[in-house]
Amino acid sequence: MQSFNKVKNNNKINKLIIATCLFSVVVFFNCSSFLEQEPGSQTSITEQLSSKMGILEALNGVFSSIEANVRGERFSVYADLIGGNLKFTPTITGNNAGQISAPINLENVYAFQDIAISSDLESFYDSSYDIINQTNLILEYVDAIPDATEDEKTFIKAEVYAARAYTHYLLTLLYSQNYSFSEDASHLGIVYNKTTLSTGITYPARETLAKTYQFILDDLQLALTSFSVNGILSGPAYSYFNQSNTQALLARVYLSMNDWQNAFDMANEVILNSGVSLMSSETYISEWEKPDSPISEILLEFSIPRDDGGSVGGSLSQFYGYNSKTDYEKYVASEDLINLFETSDVRRNLFLEQPLPTLVDGNMEDRTYFFTKKFQDNPGFVAIRLSEMYLIRAEASLELNQLENCRNDINIIRERANASLLLDTSNLEEALLLERRKELCFESHYFFDLSRRKKDIVRNDGCISQTCNLSYPSLKFVLPIPQDNIDLNTNLKQNDSY
């Protein structure tokens, strides 16, 4: 099974079995004491997943794991860093004070020189398949639990199918070329995992991207037919999957597949019937500045972990935050991005302009940096919000040759931002990509947009790599499968150039 494809010996297999057993019980049990109570790892799984409470704890564990995986630095900054929306701040103190360098944990990715043997995103790859295994375990046990109604079981399965599809989808963005890279999407996708460790360790091959996406669609369609009851999971509805945000995810998947009519239909359904409205021009900045809560147009944002005292265990502010000239984080907006905003555009006010001491030609001088206000006060990872649906509907309209509809949807976003409106239907593809870059900046879209639209990567301001630009198509538009997985599984083919 792919989530265990790094297993190299029996000892590591045992460790992975234990990790799988405990993924949902660590909230309530110390790991060592739990093992003392339940020394047989397979028994521990059976015990944990034998009741509704245990299944729900496991499901909450899935969402906690997804949140940690997407909020982690490696994934959350990847698309904007690679695409050119981000640059780095100078080192605050020490011998390197004022110097600018790429974070060591993303240094190779930033330079388009990631290596399979120690890939910068190896932890994301491994964690993703761990999450997928968690979903598969729940599916394996849920039908047998005696204290849940059939509607409750169906709802649990809906959550799990959506979570499994979402996690596989993110993997395709990183490890597979875009859908139209080959004429029939027959190039390599990923391993789509539907089995668990309890069925034995298997060594599967990667599917074609066409088949990978069909499996994603299958899971999302299963989810959409299974949201039968509400209120099973605690917390706000946007912190787990529901009918509307699963439709929104499906719209994004269809867009990635160039299935324009279905992308239009799903995005349109969410816009019309989700009950969520766009933020207004007047509240746009204050919505992003709210502490500890998401913007009003959120469709999916996984809950930020908190301790018993309510303190946040981690948020995107640890990558984007600014407190003072001696207390700030790594990532700021590039002027490549900043210069795209018109003076009247309210979104320009989302940037906190600060001078920071920077070493320039051996001398320290203040240089201006632009911190985003989107992620200052305990923000969560913005997985899906309504503005994206308007831009998906616009792109689908463009490809369906409904040019006025495309222009109108772009103008809805531009009018809300107080930006100048498009007056005709010329250069709509360029206008659309520009609008997505501005509206969705730092929300893990831009590089994937460039790849989908077969555009070059161009990084000017702040680029400190020997390779700043990359022309499409390029084998470096995808990352290497971590080498440990390749070594174990001879059926797992590496991406070309790695």
Side-chain angles (χ1 to χ4, degrees):
M1 184 178 63
Q2 180 65 12
S3 60
F4 292 94
N5 61 8
K6 292 186 66 177
V7 181
K8 294 182 177 178
N9 52 51
N10 289 336
N11 183 52
K12 192 159 188 180
I13 291 174
N14 290 337
K15 290 180 180 178
L16 287 165
I17 293 172
I18 290 171
T20 301
C21 301
L22 298 180
F23 74 88
S24 62
V25 298
V26 291
V27 176
F28 297 94
F29 297 94
N30 172 272
C31 290
S32 60
S33 63
F34 181 76
L35 287 175
E36 289 170 3
Q37 295 173 33
E38 296 285 352
S41 59
Q42 187 62 45
T43 302
S44 300
I45 295 175
T46 303
E47 181 70 21
Q48 171 64 26
L49 302 180
S50 63
S51 67
K52 182 171 75 172
M53 179 178 291
I55 288 283
L56 292 180
E57 289 170 2
L59 186 54
N60 281 320
V62 167
F63 284 108
S64 294
S65 296
I66 293 175
E67 190 277 337
N69 208 30
V70 296
R71 178 179 44 82
E73 181 178 7
R74 287 166 173 82
F75 181 79
S76 64
V77 306
Y78 176 81
D80 289 279
L81 180 62
I82 301 305
N85 282 345
L86 291 174
K87 65 180 183 178
F88 311 111
T89 56
T91 301
I92 299 175
T93 60
N95 294 333
N96 296 324
Q99 295 184 26
I100 297 174
S101 59
I104 192 168
N105 57 339
L106 287 172
E107 186 175 14
N108 289 334
V109 160
Y110 178 66
F112 306 114
Q113 294 178 351
D114 201 26
I115 53 178
I117 197 169
S118 58
S119 173
D120 288 346
L121 269 76
E122 180 174 6
S123 60
F124 180 84
Y125 183 91
D126 292 342
S127 296
S128 295
Y129 279 108
D130 286 343
I131 291 165
I132 290 164
N133 187 63
Q134 294 170 23
T135 64
N136 291 333
L137 281 168
I138 294 173
L139 288 173
E140 185 174 325
Y141 283 85
V142 65
D143 283 328
I145 55 176
D147 56 341
T149 67
E150 290 305 311
D151 279 348
E152 289 172 333
K153 294 176 186 179
T154 300
F155 182 84
I156 290 168
K157 286 188 282 189
E159 294 293 332
V160 172
Y161 286 130
R164 186 169 73 178
Y166 178 69
T167 306
H168 280 108
Y169 173 69
L170 296 184
L171 286 165
T172 68
L173 296 178
L174 294 171
Y175 295 99
S176 300
Q177 295 280 1
N178 72 78
Y179 198 82
S180 56
F181 184 76
S182 61
E183 185 175 351
D184 54 357
S186 58
H187 55 287
L188 284 176
I190 59 171
V191 170
Y192 205 95
N193 185 12
K194 298 182 181 181
T195 62
T196 66
L197 185 65
S198 64
T199 62
I201 298 174
T202 60
Y203 299 98
R206 297 169 68 178
E207 307 288 352
T208 65
L209 189 60
K211 193 168 184 180
T212 300
Y213 269 94
Q214 187 56 57
F215 285 145
I216 292 171
L217 293 180
D218 291 345
D219 273 351
L220 291 177
Q221 294 291 358
L222 281 170
L224 287 174
T225 60
S226 303
F227 287 112
S228 55
V229 293
N230 294 308
I232 294 180
L233 293 174
S234 60
Y238 60 73
S239 64
Y240 46 87
F241 288 101
N242 56 48
Q243 189 80 13
S244 291
N245 61 32
T246 302
Q247 290 172 330
L249 175 56
L250 190 55
R252 188 189 292 180
V253 171
Y254 280 132
L255 190 77
S256 297
M257 297 176 65
N258 304 330
D259 186 340
W260 310 117
Q261 187 61 58
N262 278 318
F264 180 96
D265 291 343
M266 281 294 104
N268 188 59
E269 175 68 21
V270 175
I271 291 167
L272 296 179
N273 297 314
S274 66
V276 177
S277 301
L278 288 176
M279 297 179 287
S280 68
S281 178
E282 293 75 19
T283 63
Y284 192 85
I285 303 301
S286 61
E287 282 279 351
W288 283 110
E289 290 178 328
K290 291 188 302 186
D292 299 321
S293 59
I295 56 176
S296 60
E297 67 173 56
I298 201 72
L299 292 166
L300 180 63
E301 180 189 282
F302 307 106
S303 293
I304 304 172
R306 297 177 183 273
D307 61 21
D308 292 340
S311 298
V312 172
S315 81
L316 291 180
S317 60
Q318 68 191 96
F319 313 128
Y320 295 102
Y322 177 87
N323 294 309
S324 70
K325 289 183 71 170
T326 58
D327 183 12
Y328 54 82
E329 302 301 340
K330 302 176 189 176
Y331 299 100
V332 288
S334 69
E335 292 190 32
D336 294 355
L337 174 64
I338 294 293
N339 292 337
L340 298 176
F341 293 94
E342 300 168 87
T343 304
S344 63
D345 195 321
V346 299
R347 295 171 298 192
R348 194 177 180 89
N349 297 322
L350 274 176
F351 298 96
L352 181 65
E353 187 174 344
Q354 294 294 332
L356 300 177
T358 305
L359 194 64
V360 181
D361 297 329
N363 299 310
M364 197 73 77
E365 62 181 60
D366 278 353
R367 288 288 179 93
T368 299
Y369 295 85
F370 296 88
F371 292 84
T372 178
K373 293 182 182 179
K374 282 185 175 181
F375 305 123
Q376 294 297 318
D377 297 312
N378 300 329
F381 180 84
V382 179
I384 309 175
R385 63 184 176 97
L386 190 64
S387 290
E388 182 192 351
M389 295 300 105
Y390 281 88
L391 294 170
I392 287 177
R393 193 170 69 175
E395 187 168 344
S397 294
L398 172 65
E399 298 295 342
L400 292 169
N401 202 34
Q402 298 172 6
L403 302 187
E404 286 295 335
N405 288 341
C406 174
R407 181 176 72 94
N408 290 341
D409 274 336
I410 296 173
N411 277 343
I412 286 172
I413 301 301
R414 293 177 67 86
E415 183 176 23
R416 190 262 305 272
N418 199 33
S420 60
L421 301 183
L422 302 179
L423 300 179
D424 55 48
T425 58
S426 61
N427 301 318
L428 283 178
E429 181 184 16
E430 180 181 349
L432 177 62
L433 190 58
L434 175 66
E435 208 57 41
R436 286 186 64 93
R437 185 175 188 180
K438 291 186 294 182
E439 179 63 31
L440 304 176
C441 61
F442 318 132
E443 297 176 46
S444 299
H445 289 278
Y446 186 52
F447 167 69
F448 305 131
D449 290 342
L450 292 175
S451 177
R452 186 181 72 255
R453 300 302 308 184
K454 300 184 177 183
K455 301 296 184 181
D456 299 340
I457 295 171
V458 179
R459 303 184 298 189
N460 293 311
D461 177 54
C463 182
I464 56 173
S465 172
Q466 289 186 343
T467 305
C468 288
N469 304 329
L470 200 62
S471 298
Y472 182 91
S474 170
L475 298 178
K476 297 303 182 182
F477 268 57
V478 297
L479 296 176
I481 304 295
Q483 188 62 42
D484 284 350
N485 298 277
I486 300 292
D487 291 343
L488 176 72
N489 180 1
T490 57
N491 295 320
L492 191 59
K493 186 177 180 180
Q494 182 60 273
N495 281 324
D496 290 337
S497 87
Y498 297 108

